[in-house]
Amino acid sequence: MNAKIRGPRAEFTPAHQIIDADGDAALEEVRRALRMPSFSDTGEGIGAAAEYFFALLGRVCPDAAIVPTAGYPVVLGTARSSMPSAPTLIVYGLYDVTPTMAHEWTVDPLAAEVIDARDLGLLPHLGPVVAGRGANNHKGPVIAAILAVEAMQQAGVDLPVNLIFVIEGEEEIGSPSLPGFVEKHRELLLSADGIWLPCMQQNSSGVMTVRRGFKGCVFAQITCRGGAWGGPADGRHIWAGNSAWIDAPMMQLVRALGTMYDDEQRVTIDGVGAVAEAASLQFADDIAKVSAGFRENPAWSANMLGNLHVERALAGKDIADHVENYMTGVNMNIQGITGGYQGPTFYTSLPGEASARVDFRFPPGLTPEEFVQALRGHLDRRGFGHVDIDIPRGYAGAPSMPDDHDVLLDAGIVTAARYGVETAVWPIANNCCPASLFTALGKQIPFSVAGLGHGDRAHAADEYFTVGSVEKLMHFTVDYLGDFADAATRKSVTD
């Protein structure tokens, strides 16, 4: 879709004026939230964070509520348009964050410090940034969206859409309680014509990436324990010299993991490659365009690697060579391996148990249950029936068949063009998001990520967004709601 630059929507000018006048206050609101811990991994600060978002959302949604789940609560609220025919948009977000390892951070991860990008080893042209856990993923963006709606209400601008805010507290641990929430609120959620995850989507070169789909995921603990197959049956350490005649669970685990990927970290688990091959064929043209973009714009790769503090891409190849696998491949990551002695020197012992936390990502077409079943069969066929797959959780990719005429994707491109921002359409990225839990309610509801502003290093030390990004995303939000309403209305007329 080609979108001509037309400038911000005139009917929303009063809201844009409020955003311009209150930009400093909006930034400080985000910084306030970033100073609050909300680690779903441990539960630290989760209750207070839910209360914070309940109070913030209550400023725009009169029915805002903290909804209990089997785990951490969801913050829910609606804001209605006065127009009877207005479409409905779910604004999905999260208030939980990933853990921080403070020794890896240049700054205090909970201080929301404003610092020059160069002092974090980032690209100098980025200028001042706000560094803190949750800055980019996802407190900064979701707060910007809420504050943008508040600016519209304060300006007396009627919302062009009905909004349903769903802000959960377990996304970073696989959203285990979200399916129950979605089922309980099925009737409300089924009224939606689209689902939006607000994000600061401009890369360090200024291009805004929009996606048609999202990968599914499985988080699992892969464990080898001593038992009838061999190894210490009571789980305790024994002398390392026994490794000459006793099976070692740690070494068995490492061997089992090694069967799951090749030298370029491409997943080799039996039976899952077909979904990647199908996706690669389906999106061959898009993949070729994005790969060409990286080859034609060397700064894209250089900036990406520089911001991640990585000196070269996998296997010494160009980023362009990995685009297909990034978009449509089945990927895995070993988050950590646990077992044995971790003291200051050495303890010549053979551990009785060892485990690894692993995450897998795969294109739409597989369910988490199907993936775990394939993994189980893969291990069994290689003689690793004694290696267990513990606490698996995850969700499928979505949508199952991405739509070339997705109204949310089209609206994102139009809104970006209003601000003179170039867009790049990616069919799927290696991101995972529980979109399928919403889109599988009985009708196909498009799900999109879009937004102006720049942030990076999510899940890493020195996570940040550039100063000015909160205002950019607020301005984008205001016009995006209108552009989505227009696109959804056009689609309803043609359907």
Side-chain angles (χ1 to χ4, degrees):
M1 173 181 183
N2 295 319
K4 295 181 180 179
I5 300 171
R6 296 194 297 271
R9 298 175 68 110
E11 70 268 35
F12 299 149
T13 296
H16 288 299
Q17 291 172 337
I18 289 177
I19 293 171
D20 287 334
D22 295 344
D24 290 344
L27 178 61
E28 290 309 307
E29 186 67 59
V30 171
R31 294 180 69 199
R32 174 189 172 197
L34 297 182
R35 296 186 184 106
M36 303 174 63
S38 54
F39 300 111
S40 50
D41 182 51
T42 63
E44 181 187 357
I46 285 290
E51 291 286 350
Y52 166 82
F53 274 92
F54 162 67
L56 182 68
L57 194 60
R59 287 158 51 173
V60 300
C61 299
D63 62 351
I66 297 177
V67 180
T69 72
Y72 302 139
V74 172
V75 182
L76 176 68
T78 63
R80 298 292 179 180
S81 170
S82 66
M83 294 178 280
S85 60
T88 297
L89 180 67
I90 295 172
V91 181
Y92 167 75
L94 50 140
Y95 63 85
D96 66 315
V97 298
T98 54
T100 59
M101 290 178 278
H103 68 279
E104 293 189 351
W105 285 69
T106 307
V107 295
D108 183 341
L110 294 177
E113 184 175 340
V114 178
I115 185 172
D116 192 278
R118 290 172 293 188
D119 295 331
L120 295 179
L122 303 174
L123 300 166
H125 76 267
L126 296 177
V129 303
V130 174
R133 178 57 83 228
N136 180 39
N137 180 32
H138 178 248
K139 290 179 180 176
V142 71
I143 291 172
I146 294 170
L147 294 179
V149 173
E150 184 178 43
M152 297 178 78
Q153 293 174 337
Q154 290 176 345
V157 173
D158 191 16
L159 292 176
V161 297
N162 300 309
L163 295 172
I164 304 171
F165 286 89
V166 177
I167 307 173
E168 68 156 315
E170 296 183 337
E171 198 277 340
E172 301 295 6
I173 57 172
S175 302
S177 302
L178 193 60
F181 168 86
V182 170
E183 183 59 36
K184 183 177 180 181
H185 296 85
R186 169 183 287 268
E187 183 176 353
L188 172 65
L189 299 174
L190 264 176
S191 67
D193 300 284
I195 309 161
W196 175 45
L197 176 71
C199 281
M200 298 165 181
Q201 281 294 102
Q202 288 178 269
N203 64 23
S204 54
S205 299
V207 178
M208 188 185 88
T209 303
V210 288
R211 305 182 184 101
R212 291 189 184 135
F214 302 86
K215 288 188 177 180
C217 69
V218 164
F219 301 164
Q221 181 168 292
I222 312 296
T223 302
C224 185
R225 304 174 178 88
W229 68 275
D234 62 3
R236 295 187 295 179
H237 294 55
I238 59 176
W239 175 50
N242 287 310
S243 62
W245 48 46
I246 303 295
D247 282 314
M250 176 70 81
M251 297 175 75
Q252 287 279 306
L253 174 70
V254 171
R255 288 179 55 214
L257 293 171
T259 69
M260 300 179 192
Y261 62 95
D262 64 16
D263 291 343
E264 291 193 9
Q265 297 173 190
R266 297 170 187 259
V267 166
T268 55
I269 296 170
D270 299 341
V272 302
V275 68
E277 294 173 5
S280 293
L281 288 173
Q282 181 180 0
F283 301 115
D285 290 343
D286 286 327
I287 292 168
K289 288 177 184 177
V290 175
S291 298
F294 273 99
R295 297 192 193 282
E296 294 164 4
N297 299 276
W300 291 6
S301 297
N303 290 350
M304 179 189 298
L305 296 176
N307 266 4
L308 295 175
H309 300 171
V310 174
E311 296 188 5
R312 74 169 198 165
L314 179 63
K317 296 183 177 182
D318 292 334
I319 291 290
D321 296 322
H322 297 294
V323 165
E324 180 177 2
N325 186 43
Y326 184 86
M327 288 188 174
T328 59
V330 182
N331 308 114
M332 69 175 286
N333 169 61
I334 302 172
Q335 300 176 23
I337 298 179
T338 304
Y341 179 65
Q342 302 293 325
T345 57
F346 301 96
Y347 169 30
T348 52
S349 64
L350 185 158
E353 178 177 329
S355 63
R357 294 282 174 91
V358 185
D359 56 88
F360 302 94
R361 300 161 189 263
F362 42 87
L366 277 175
T367 66
E369 295 76 17
E370 289 170 339
F371 188 91
V372 171
Q373 183 179 13
L375 176 57
R376 179 72 272 162
H378 173 95
L379 291 171
D380 291 348
R381 283 187 289 274
R382 284 157 181 78
F384 294 109
H386 53 283
V387 173
D388 297 324
I389 305 169
D390 297 326
I391 57 172
R393 62 178 55 158
Y395 36 78
S400 56
M401 293 294 289
D403 185 353
D404 287 343
H405 303 290
D406 184 325
V407 292
L408 278 170
L409 183 145
D410 291 349
I413 293 172
V414 169
T415 308
R418 293 184 182 281
Y419 294 89
V421 173
E422 179 186 353
T423 51
V425 178
W426 291 30
I428 304 175
N430 219 18
N431 306 71
C432 299
C433 179
S436 58
L437 302 180
F438 296 97
T439 61
L441 285 168
K443 72 175 184 179
Q444 187 62 50
I445 305 174
F447 190 110
S448 185
V449 170
L452 297 187
H454 169 70
D456 204 349
R457 297 188 61 81
H459 293 220
D462 297 339
E463 179 180 353
Y464 72 91
F465 61 74
T466 55
V467 170
S469 289
V470 171
E471 285 183 74
K472 288 181 179 179
L473 184 51
M474 290 174 68
H475 284 297
F476 176 92
T477 298
V478 170
D479 289 323
Y480 181 63
L481 298 183
D483 290 332
F484 165 68
D486 289 348
T489 300
R490 287 194 300 269
K491 186 175 188 299
S492 66
V493 170
T494 58
D495 283 352

